C-alpha cells in the first residue's frame, strides 16, 4: 500500500473520540509531531489498546488518509508500566509528556526530544534522584533541545569565556551569565541580575552539554536545586509564559 508509513516514536497524549476510538498525538523521528486516529482502541481486545495510551514507545504503522493519519498497528518497545502504578511519579511523567508535546513540531526530526523523554521517564522509574531534580534537569535540557537556552559558557556582556572569567551572576532578561568584571562596571547592569553559585553554573553547563545518557547521573544540594529551579521558573515566565495543565498536580 503506497500511502502506508512506518514511524518511530512515543504517544504523548490521547483522548477518546466517538464511542470506541481515540485520537493520539505522537512525537516521531520521521514526521515530527502528528496526530492520528486509533479506531477501536478503547475495546479491551483491540491490537491498538496500548498505543491508545500515553507513555507507549514503539514503531507505529499509519495509513495516511485524505485529511488524517489512521493508526493501523504498533510494535511496542517500552511502556513504563511501573511508572503508571506510582501515583506521585506518574504526574511528573504526564508533565514531561505535556512539555514535549508543547514544543514538538510537525515535519521536524524529534529524535533528540524522544530520547530525552525516554531517559527522563527511566530516571523517574529508578528514583535515584528526587523528582524535583529530574524535573529541573528535564526543563533545562528541553531548552537546549529547542535551541533557545541560556548562555552559561560565556559572559553575555563582554563575551569572555568561562575558563578566563568568573561567571558569577545571571540575568534571565539578558539571556545568560555575567562575569565579575561586567557586574562591577558602572552602568549597563540589568535590573534582574542575580548571583549564581559556582555549583549552579557547573550544573547548568553539564546539563546543557553532556551526552544524553549521562544526564541523570548526578545529585546536587537542596540549595543548588532551589537556585536552578528558581532560575528556570523565571526563564519560563519571561520567554514562554505557557501554563501546563499537569503543573498543578506536581505543585508548580
Ligand atoms: Zn563580562
Amino acid at each position: 500500500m503506497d500511502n502506508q508509513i512506518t514511524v518511530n516514536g512515543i504517544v504523548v497524549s490521547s483522548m477518546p473520540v466517538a464511542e470506541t476510538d481515540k485520537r493520539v498525538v505522537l512525537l516521531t523521528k520521521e514526521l515530527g509531531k502528528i496526530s492520528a486516529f486509533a479506531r477501536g482502541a478503547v475495546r479491551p481486545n483491540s491490537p491498538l489498546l496500548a498505543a491508545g495510551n500515553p507513555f507507549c514507545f514503539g514503531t507505529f504503522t499509519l495509513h495516511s488518509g485524505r485529511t488524517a493519519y489512521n493508526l493501523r498497528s504498533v510494535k511496542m518497545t517500552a511502556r513504563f508500566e511501573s511508572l503508571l502504578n506510582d501515583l506521585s511519579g506518574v504526574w511528573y511523567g504526564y508533565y514531561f509528556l505535556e512539555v514535549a508535546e508543547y514544543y514538538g513540531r510537525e515535519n521536524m526530526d524529534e529524535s533528540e526530544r524522544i530520547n530525552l523523554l525516554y531517559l527522563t521517564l527511566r530516571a523517574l522509574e529508578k528514583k535515584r534522584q528526587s523528582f524535583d531534580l529530574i524535573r529541573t534537569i528535564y526543563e533545562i535540557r528541553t531548552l537546549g533541545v529547542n535551541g533557545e537556552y541560556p548562555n552559561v559558557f560565556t559572559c553575555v556582556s563582554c563575551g569572555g569565556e568561562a575558563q578566563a572569567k568568573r561567571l558569577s551572576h545571571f540575568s534571565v532578561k539578558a539571556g545568560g551569565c555575567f562575569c565579575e568584571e561586567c557586574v562591577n562596571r558602572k552602568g549597563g547592569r540589568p535590573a534582574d541580575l542575580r548571583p549564581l553559585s559556582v555549583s549552579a553554573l557547573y550544573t547548568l553547563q553539564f546539563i546543557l552539554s553532556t551526552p544524553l545518557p549521562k544526564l541523570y547521573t548526578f545529585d546536587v544540594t537542596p540549595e543548588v536545586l532551589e537556585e536552578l529551579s528558581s532560575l528556570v521558573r523565571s526563564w519560563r515566565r519571561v520567554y514562554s509564559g505557557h501554563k501546563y495543565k499537569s503543573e498543578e498536580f506536581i505543585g508548580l
Side-chain angles (χ1 to χ4, degrees):
M1 259 162 69
D2 52 352
N3 49 357
Q4 186 151 302
I5 178 167
T6 300
V7 295
N8 294 286
I10 174 181
V11 178
V12 286
S13 71
S14 83
M15 61 185 273
V17 286
E19 212 167 293
T20 56
D21 304 343
K22 280 188 172 180
R23 179 180 166 276
V24 297
V25 176
L26 298 168
L27 213 55
T28 71
K29 181 179 182 324
E30 295 80 1
L31 299 171
K33 182 171 74 174
I34 55 166
S35 60
F37 288 101
R39 309 268 177 218
V42 171
R43 294 194 191 103
N45 59 352
S46 166
L48 300 178
L49 189 65
N53 291 303
F55 301 107
C56 171
F57 282 83
T59 303
F60 303 83
T61 304
L62 307 162
H63 179 262
S64 167
R66 257 189 326 127
T67 55
Y69 289 109
N70 287 300
L71 193 55
R72 284 291 159 83
S73 65
V74 56
K75 207 171 140 211
M76 191 165 63
T77 53
R79 193 173 165 229
F80 294 93
E81 253 138 37
S82 69
L83 189 65
L84 294 169
N85 296 324
D86 174 358
L87 274 183
S88 54
V90 77
W91 280 112
Y92 280 84
Y94 277 115
Y95 172 70
F96 298 150
L97 295 186
E98 200 184 340
V99 171
E101 180 174 353
Y102 178 71
Y103 285 111
R105 291 286 169 263
E106 228 178 300
N107 297 320
M108 293 282 287
D109 177 357
E110 292 289 358
S111 316
E112 204 185 346
R113 203 181 302 284
I114 295 165
N115 292 341
L116 174 60
L117 260 184
Y118 180 80
L119 292 166
T120 308
L121 296 173
R122 278 267 301 273
L124 264 188
E125 246 182 3
K126 286 186 192 157
K127 296 186 177 164
R128 292 203 188 118
Q129 294 156 303
S130 73
F131 290 162
D132 278 334
L133 177 58
I134 294 170
R135 173 180 60 77
T136 304
I137 295 172
Y138 176 74
E139 288 172 337
I140 295 168
R141 186 65 182 230
T142 290
L143 298 175
V145 174
N146 295 345
E148 289 167 0
Y149 53 91
N151 182 354
V152 293
F153 301 97
T154 58
C155 170
V156 294
S157 176
C158 70
E161 289 185 13
Q163 291 89 333
K165 305 268 183 174
R166 155 96 177 91
L167 303 177
S168 60
H169 285 68
F170 191 92
S171 159
V172 170
K173 287 186 179 157
C177 292
F178 274 66
C179 74
E180 277 189 322
E181 273 174 45
C182 290
V183 169
N184 293 326
R185 199 182 302 139
K186 280 207 173 73
R189 282 172 46 160
D192 71 336
L193 203 64
R194 62 170 86 193
L196 184 69
S197 72
V198 175
S199 305
L201 173 68
Y202 287 164
T203 310
L204 282 166
Q205 291 176 339
F206 181 83
I207 294 171
L208 285 167
S209 64
T210 196
L212 279 181
K214 287 192 175 165
L215 192 57
Y216 293 103
T217 54
F218 67 92
D219 212 344
V220 293
T221 62
E223 292 75 25
V224 171
L225 178 55
E226 178 47 40
E227 203 180 339
L228 293 172
S229 78
S230 144
L231 198 148
V232 176
R233 272 196 304 273
S234 309
W235 189 272
R236 252 181 64 188
R237 264 199 306 275
V238 171
Y239 294 107
S240 153
H242 182 74
K243 190 111 180 88
Y244 297 99
K245 279 180 283 177
S246 49
E247 266 178 63
E248 59 181 293
F249 297 103
I250 58 170
L252 284 182

